[in-house]
Amino acid sequence: MTPKERLIVALDVNTKERALGLVEKLKAEIKIFKIGSELFTSCGPSIVEEAVNAGAKIFLDLKFHDIPNTVRKAAIAATRLGVFIFNVHALGGSDMMKRAAEAAADEARRLKIAKPKIIAVTVLTSMDENSLKKIGINDNMEKQVLKLAKLAKDASLDGVVASPSEVRLIRRELGEEFIIVTPGVRPEWAAANDQKRVMTPKEAIDNGADFIVVGRPIIEASNPVIAARKIVEEINGST
Ligand code: C5P
């Protein structure tokens, strides 16, 4: 993978014009764009189709979490939209993840397109051990993250979303082939915003992340193209 292919830009805006404007502006620098709940709920699935038609690879970040049959059908719909990656909550359980993986593979085969990569959210990075306890989970954070990452791998998922502080552990325990996508990444020149435990792009990649997700330091920059270029250069300097 080239450094350009490792950077995912979060399209955290709520109109089609702004989202597609960013894709047009950045597509020479960036290959993958993340569409999350806000943009998807504001604009509907056509935003995914239009971004794909504009040449973007899409990470559909809707974190499916429902009964297996419902997530299976959502996986088919995401595959039909032609996304490159989509995600589910590992807390939905093994059966839910297996059904999503099987359905996406079957649908991609039927349509003769590449199967989307399916990754799992383990524990949201907004949660700490105290909030885990409140929902009845008494394991420490590392144990819980690792348990859910293993469950995802055993269910044939392709990887996980992981905070910078978890990347090294997951890479060590789950091997080189397992995809790790890491948000909470900040170049030294950018503000942390509300991200608490940040790492630089170089640190995240050196620790074992395959892809990093960056939103505000690029989309709110006075010149998003230059900001994206600087981050790609920083990834390029990783070992
Ligand atoms: O602007 P910023 O770089 O903080 O955006 C990070 C993106 O990654 C946002 O879309 C956010 O929702 C997402 N994300 C995250 N932490 C997670 C999962 C997703 O910041 N654990």
Side-chain angles (χ1 to χ4, degrees):
M1 253 193 307
T2 64
K4 272 186 184 184
E5 290 166 321
R6 289 175 178 269
L7 175 58
I8 302 177
V9 173
L11 294 175
D12 290 334
V13 293
N14 60 10
T15 67
K16 199 173 265 191
E17 291 66 36
R18 288 184 68 200
L20 294 177
L22 282 164
V23 170
E24 281 306 323
K25 208 179 275 180
L26 290 167
K27 73 183 187 190
E29 309 299 324
I30 305 293
K31 301 297 158 207
I32 314 174
F33 295 84
K34 183 170 87 69
I35 293 180
S37 314
E38 183 193 10
L39 182 59
F40 190 85
T41 309
S42 303
C43 300
S46 64
I47 183 62
V48 178
E49 289 163 330
E50 289 185 40
V52 169
N53 289 339
K57 287 183 173 180
I58 297 298
F59 168 14
L60 187 63
D61 180 18
L62 297 180
K63 303 184 181 70
F64 299 134
H65 187 176
D66 210 314
I67 59 171
N69 190 48
T70 301
V71 172
R72 178 182 74 79
K73 290 194 271 188
I76 293 172
T79 306
R80 285 187 188 152
L81 283 174
V83 305
F84 178 59
I85 306 176
F86 73 87
N87 58 3
V88 301
H89 267 286
L91 278 172
S94 183
D95 191 31
M96 185 203 81
M97 290 191 278
K98 278 185 193 155
R99 299 280 292 278
E102 281 163 14
D106 288 348
E107 188 64 10
R109 214 173 297 120
R110 198 180 70 78
L111 297 172
K112 299 190 172 57
I113 58 172
K115 184 190 83 71
K117 297 179 193 318
I118 312 178
I119 60 177
V121 175
T122 57
V123 178
L124 290 167
T125 47
S126 50
M127 299 192 82
D128 56 17
E129 283 176 10
N130 201 26
S131 31
L132 283 183
K133 276 206 183 79
K134 285 188 185 159
I135 57 167
I137 295 170
N138 294 312
D139 279 341
N140 70 33
M141 185 63 75
E142 284 194 350
K143 201 167 168 199
Q144 179 67 9
V145 165
L146 216 46
K147 191 194 280 179
L148 291 172
K150 282 184 177 149
L151 197 72
K153 190 176 183 192
D154 291 344
S156 305
L157 259 56
D158 300 290
V160 284
V161 182
S163 81
S165 55
E166 296 154 2
V167 172
R168 203 180 271 275
L169 173 75
I170 295 172
R171 178 60 70 220
R172 192 183 68 217
E173 296 295 321
L174 297 184
E176 290 300 316
E177 299 302 312
F178 202 56
I179 296 171
I180 305 179
V181 177
T182 306
V185 175
R186 286 290 179 273
E188 266 154 24
W189 46 265
N193 309 111
D194 54 354
Q195 298 282 12
K196 300 239 161 42
R197 288 161 294 148
V198 296
M199 268 188 196
T200 66
K202 181 179 178 339
E203 285 166 337
I205 298 284
D206 284 346
N207 278 339
D210 295 295
F211 298 98
I212 58 171
V213 179
V214 180
R216 288 162 289 181
I218 294 176
I219 67 170
E220 290 178 3
S222 55
N223 188 330
V225 175
I226 290 182
R229 237 177 243 159
K230 275 161 76 178
I231 296 176
V232 170
E233 272 163 28
E234 205 174 321
I235 297 172
N236 206 10
S238 315
T239 48

